[in-house]
Amino acid sequence: MHTLVVNCGSSSLKYAIFDTQTEQSLLTGKVERLGQSGDEKQRTHQVAVAEMLADIGQRGAEFDLSSVGHRVVHGGTRYNTAVIIDEAVCAEIQARIPDAPMHNPYALAAIQAAMTALPDIPHVAVFDTAFHADMPRRARTYAIDYDVAQQHGIRRFGFHGISHAYVADKAAGFLQRPLKDLRLITLHLGNGASACAVEYGHSVETSMGNTPLEGLVMGSRSGDVDAGVLLTLLRSGDFDVEQLDDLLNQHSGLAGLSGLGNDLREIEDQAASGNDRARLAINVFAHRARKYIGAYAAAMGGVDAVVFTGGIGENSATMRRRILQRLEFLGLVIDEDRNQDALVAADQDYALLTSKRSRVEAIVVKTNEELMIARECATLVGSLHKDTAQALANASIPIAVSGRHAHLTAETFAQLFGPDATLTHHKDLSQPGQFAAQEKIDLIGPRSTITGVRILGPLRSVDQIEISRSDEFKLGIDAPVRDSGQVAGSAPVTVKGPHATVQLAEGLICARRHVHMHPDDATRFQVQDRQEVAIAVRGGARDLVFGDVLIRVKESYKLEMHIDTDEANAAELGSVATGSSGELIYTDVDDAYAELTNPAQRVKHND
Ligand code: AMP
């Protein structure tokens, strides 16, 4: 099986074919001079795809393509992993064009042309933003007016994720330690440059932000600049928005500082001959990178290795030395000979840069974004077919978070709200026939009172008030975990309505998490009513497997898992878990425990 990888820039289209099993690159190629106005040979990305396919055909070799992987720079907030491309994925790439005008339009054009030319194999989008999609909120949030940020989608996305993920994985292999045990700082230093704090396999900070302009000094991009500078330049009248864009993206960084263009080789040569601005450019570049190493070590509470990659990171020993100097306080001691000789041999993919007495390692790793894309494709598609991927999508179970609420009998309701009161509809709930009422009650415990607990309708034959573990502590009542309806012997509670206060002898429970499903869903998932299962919640800030989940099957039920606010918080799903879903991974809880306690299987699972 072979994977075709397509990497589209604004003026070129690079491609490669990999053997999915051996990960060997079987063919590489490049179509250049795309879309350049005034160029006689101007060609579109659609034409480039046709040329690529013709070239592959002409090379004579027999390829058995099982998938096509497309690099997409901006996947927005929706995709934290590679996905099989369908109309919704194309729409999202399209929607992100304003955020990545130099990349997304061309990637989309190439995707559409390639999907038309090769319609029978899955096409996969691998996003540069995906690795950073789960960055903690504190790291991805800019401290500007919250509502303005929400309205304009202003947040840190981070880029170069395919490269950061690849070199982090390689570095872990080199250190012979699991990635999930390591705190790494990866520095992708090329024409574009970014740093990433990879804590236990996850990107927790990265220097590129809402756009690829923020952070490190780059070939012709400024990286960090006081936002006030932009206001000063705009107010000066010498720059309009387009000119400012041009200044920061094209005439800054190494090129802007040195006045010599963006090639570090030339700048290093000139610096050696005494050119002051060339020296300044090098010093600013190295200082900024070193500053980020310190910041990210602090953000992660320590660091195990610093990893260099990209054209500059892989090739410039002098730049690496400048960046790594004065880091002994972190426990990082460079070995000058190792640094000088690193990657000199053509077949070397990585090399150690630090001395024996260094507690923190520095490593240089040759990046290979195309291979990473091929890998992601193979993982996602493997030998699967589109139908199987669809079947996996069908296996997900939507999650809803239940806040504290009360089900009351007509008798209790009349006591609390008066004999003539009726339950008024506020809004429908997802389960057919169920609704949230406008009426609310207070729960009074020995420790404190919880006000405004919503009543759910219709009224029932027994009182049942469902709260979370945190609520129990607030009230000072020890409520048992119970299935809905099993209130006999549950905790007593005092409830207060506008008409009266009533002491319930029982009815306060901590509801057991459960999945509602229709009999057809039960057949599909091969489960039965009241069976206990485990549900995995993935893709949020914290992956979690909920054991002890009760299946409840009824004709009137709609497929949905119900958890309480504590449980949602544990998986960091947010208070309403909008769009979240779980996956039924074990139909037998004993199997789940067996797997969790079997280290061999656990490693497999973590991979
Ligand atoms: P990239 O964007 O990753 O291809 O990196 C391109 C940059 O790497 C260029 O701007 C070069 O300045 C730099 N580069 C490549 N080879 C060397 C080298 N031998 N010494 C210094 N810089 C290099």
Side-chain angles (χ1 to χ4, degrees):
M1 293 278 191
H2 301 133
T3 298
L4 168 63
V5 174
V6 182
N7 185 352
C8 242
S10 53
S11 63
S12 70
L13 182 150
K14 286 193 279 181
Y15 53 93
I17 293 181
F18 288 88
D19 183 308
T20 318
Q21 294 284 304
T22 62
E23 296 199 336
Q24 240 194 324
S25 165
L26 306 174
L27 171 153
T28 58
K30 193 172 186 182
V31 186
E32 291 180 281
R33 302 160 73 97
L34 302 177
Q36 288 169 12
S37 54
D39 187 331
E40 276 179 18
K41 289 187 181 167
Q42 182 180 339
R43 286 161 301 171
T44 61
H45 285 71
Q46 284 90 337
V47 173
V49 167
E51 288 187 19
M52 167 186 80
L53 294 172
D55 176 47
I56 293 170
Q58 274 166 15
R59 302 244 195 141
E62 284 287 305
F63 295 113
D64 177 16
L65 291 183
S66 58
S67 58
V68 184
H70 297 266
R71 178 188 185 191
V72 182
V73 163
H74 210 316
T77 49
R78 187 169 294 179
Y79 301 112
N80 62 358
T81 177
V83 290
I84 292 183
I85 303 174
D86 58 14
E87 276 175 24
V89 175
C90 286
E92 185 64 19
I93 298 170
Q94 170 97 37
R96 290 291 165 184
I97 286 178
D99 301 316
M102 299 307 289
H103 295 97
N104 273 27
Y106 309 110
L108 188 59
I111 286 170
Q112 284 165 339
M115 286 179 81
T116 306
L118 301 167
D120 297 326
I121 47 176
H123 289 246
V124 173
V126 183
F127 301 99
D128 255 324
T129 44
F131 186 51
H132 309 296
D134 295 332
M135 256 192 301
R137 220 153 70 113
R138 59 176 168 261
R140 64 172 196 248
T141 304
Y142 290 106
I144 61 170
D145 183 287
Y146 185 82
D147 295 329
V148 172
Q150 294 288 313
Q151 201 182 338
H152 293 269
I154 304 293
R155 53 157 283 177
R156 180 184 300 282
F157 289 108
F159 298 89
H160 282 152
I162 299 168
S163 178
H164 287 297
Y166 177 80
V167 299
D169 186 59
K170 271 274 183 197
F174 177 73
L175 295 170
Q176 299 189 326
R177 290 176 62 187
L179 187 57
K180 67 177 178 56
D181 291 345
L182 290 169
R183 288 165 299 183
L184 304 173
I185 297 170
T186 50
L187 298 171
H188 180 109
L189 308 178
N191 218 1
S194 70
C196 184
V198 185
E199 188 175 337
Y200 310 134
H202 297 276
S203 165
V204 294
E205 251 294 3
T206 192
S207 59
M208 281 180 172
N210 188 255
T211 72
L213 184 55
E214 196 185 354
L216 302 180
V217 177
M218 305 181 217
S220 62
R221 276 172 266 171
S222 61
D224 295 335
V225 172
D226 175 2
V229 170
L230 315 190
L231 303 179
T232 302
L233 293 177
L234 282 173
R235 286 193 189 112
S236 74
D238 291 343
F239 289 86
D240 62 19
V241 173
E242 292 311 316
Q243 288 166 323
L244 209 48
D245 187 320
D246 195 46
L247 173 80
L248 296 171
N249 281 297
Q250 310 296 340
H251 300 285
S252 296
L254 290 175
L257 285 172
S258 69
L260 297 166
N262 62 4
D263 190 333
L264 183 66
R265 284 164 289 202
E266 169 69 9
I267 297 168
E268 285 183 340
D269 286 346
Q270 293 285 331
S273 323
N275 182 318
D276 186 53
R277 277 181 53 186
R279 288 181 177 179
L280 178 67
I282 289 170
N283 281 332
V284 175
F285 187 102
H287 174 75
R288 181 88 52 88
R290 189 166 58 247
K291 213 164 72 167
Y292 268 90
I293 292 175
Y296 286 1
M300 293 191 289
V303 54
D304 297 297
V306 176
V307 186
F308 287 89
T309 195
I312 294 172
E314 291 169 29
N315 295 302
S316 176
T318 50
M319 185 58 86
R320 288 194 303 255
R321 173 163 28 79
R322 277 176 198 282
I323 292 171
L324 293 179
Q325 68 191 345
R326 300 172 67 200
L327 291 181
E328 288 81 4
F329 78 99
L330 271 183
L332 192 153
V333 186
I334 189 168
D335 180 314
E336 200 36 65
D337 292 338
R338 284 179 177 167
N339 180 46
Q340 205 59 45
D341 296 342
L343 299 193
V344 172
D347 58 347
Q348 249 186 330
D349 283 342
Y350 40 70
L352 185 69
L353 307 173
T354 32
S355 84
K356 268 188 191 155
R357 64 192 173 89
S358 194
R359 280 186 291 112
V360 173
E361 307 294 13
I363 308 162
V364 53
V365 176
K366 264 190 199 159
T367 196
N368 193 338
E369 287 163 303
E370 278 79 18
L371 174 57
M372 188 69 186
I373 294 168
R375 243 183 223 170
E376 297 255 332
C377 265
T379 311
L380 183 66
V381 178
S383 56
L384 301 182
H385 211 258
K386 261 186 183 165
D387 311 346
T388 321
Q390 191 57 47
L392 282 175
N394 287 345
S396 73
I397 297 172
I399 296 176
V401 182
S402 305
R404 58 179 85 98
H405 61 267
H407 302 280
L408 298 180
T409 60
E411 188 192 349
T412 309
F413 181 75
Q415 283 178 299
L416 291 169
F417 288 84
D420 300 328
T422 49
L423 201 55
T424 36
H425 181 278
H426 169 61
K427 68 170 187 193
D428 283 335
L429 298 176
S430 54
Q431 293 305 316
Q434 304 283 305
F435 64 92
Q438 280 178 12
E439 290 75 18
K440 294 178 181 174
I441 54 172
D442 296 343
L443 307 181
I444 302 170
R447 199 167 167 277
S448 67
T449 297
I450 294 177
T451 57
V453 177
R454 198 176 286 283
I455 301 173
L456 302 191
L459 296 167
R460 287 192 176 180
S461 56
V462 285
D463 293 311
Q464 177 176 307
I465 298 167
E466 301 177 30
I467 59 169
S468 69
R469 277 270 184 258
S470 300
D471 290 342
E472 277 184 42
F473 282 94
K474 221 178 273 173
L475 291 172
I477 304 177
D478 186 12
V481 176
R482 288 288 177 85
D483 300 343
S484 184
Q486 295 188 338
V487 288
S490 60
V493 64
T494 303
V495 290
K496 183 169 174 245
H499 191 72
T501 297
V502 176
Q503 307 237 355
L504 298 178
E506 59 186 24
L508 189 72
I509 65 166
C510 200
R512 185 169 170 195
R513 46 188 172 251
H514 54 272
V515 177
H516 291 278
M517 58 172 76
H518 186 271
D520 290 348
D521 294 317
T523 309
R524 185 157 62 85
F525 287 109
Q526 300 182 333
V527 291
Q528 291 168 354
D529 189 35
R530 308 209 65 75
Q531 186 175 336
E532 286 176 7
V533 299
I535 304 275
V537 179
R538 299 198 179 118
R542 281 174 158 184
D543 291 356
L544 197 67
V545 177
F546 288 110
D548 208 15
V549 184
L550 187 74
I551 296 287
R552 295 172 56 188
V553 184
K554 224 179 198 178
E555 280 288 337
S556 61
Y557 283 163
K558 192 176 140 222
L559 183 67
E560 198 167 61
M561 176 173 175
H562 286 185
I563 54 178
D564 70 21
T565 44
D566 283 353
E567 291 163 333
N569 285 340
E572 292 194 16
L573 293 177
S575 56
V576 286
T578 315
S580 300
S581 61
E583 217 178 285
L584 197 146
I585 52 166
Y586 307 105
T587 48
D588 183 339
V589 175
D590 290 338
D591 285 351
Y593 287 125
E595 176 150 335
L596 287 172
T597 49
N598 178 338
Q601 291 206 29
R602 188 163 56 211
V603 170
K604 190 183 83 199
H605 204 64
N606 284 336
D607 284 347

